[in-house]
């Protein structure tokens, strides 16, 4: 019985740790369009963006689906794989990169599902 309780506790902790990781907006930039989950266009104007994105320096800062992105070095570590397109018309999502973490937000909430 004691072994069962310990095993149950380990499973619970592993499941809880995995669920917090799943919420992080870890992003990997792929080389080919066909490898991407989302095609992204970067606009020069905040007012044109669906999402205002802040590039986090630390993985732990990239929490939830709020526009806080952490770019990972390995595809397998990413929640979403993105491909940056040259033309707005080719994009699923238009983003604007901000210098301020507090500016990160969804401007077009109908596209939030793309980053879940």
């Amino acid at each position: 019985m004691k072994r069962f309780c310990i095993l149950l506790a380990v499973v619970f902790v592993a499941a809880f740790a995995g669920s917090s990781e799943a919420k992080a907006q870890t992003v990997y930039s792929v080389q080919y369009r066909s490898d991407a989950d989302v095609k992204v266009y970067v606009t020069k104007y905040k007012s044109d963006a669906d999402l205002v994105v802040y590039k986090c320096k630390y993985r732990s800062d990239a929490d939830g689906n709020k526009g806080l992105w952490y770019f990972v070095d390995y595809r397998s570590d990413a929640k979403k794989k993105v491909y940056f397109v040259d033309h707005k018309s080719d994009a699923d999502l238009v983003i604007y990169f901000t210098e301020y973490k507090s500016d990160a937000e969804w401007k077009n909430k109908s596209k939030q599902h793309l980053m879940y």
Side-chain angles (χ1 to χ4, degrees), residues 60-91:
S60 59
D61 290 341
D63 186 33
N65 188 4
K66 303 178 234 175
L68 303 173
W69 288 8
Y70 178 78
F71 284 85
V72 294
D73 295 326
Y74 302 101
R75 169 192 299 230
S76 59
D77 291 338
K79 171 136 172 55
K80 288 292 179 181
K81 295 177 288 295
V82 298
Y83 177 79
F84 290 96
V85 296
D86 295 324
H87 304 285
K88 187 176 179 179
S89 59
D90 293 334

Side-chain angles (χ1 to χ4, degrees), residues 39-72:
K39 294 180 291 294
V40 175
Y41 176 77
V42 180
T43 182
K44 295 178 184 177
Y45 307 103
K46 191 178 191 178
S47 59
D48 289 343
D50 298 319
L51 174 63
V52 179
V53 174
Y54 175 77
K55 286 194 267 185
C56 299
K57 293 179 184 172
Y58 304 103
R59 184 184 195 122
S60 59
D61 290 341
D63 186 33
N65 188 4
K66 303 178 234 175
L68 303 173
W69 288 8
Y70 178 78
F71 284 85
V72 294

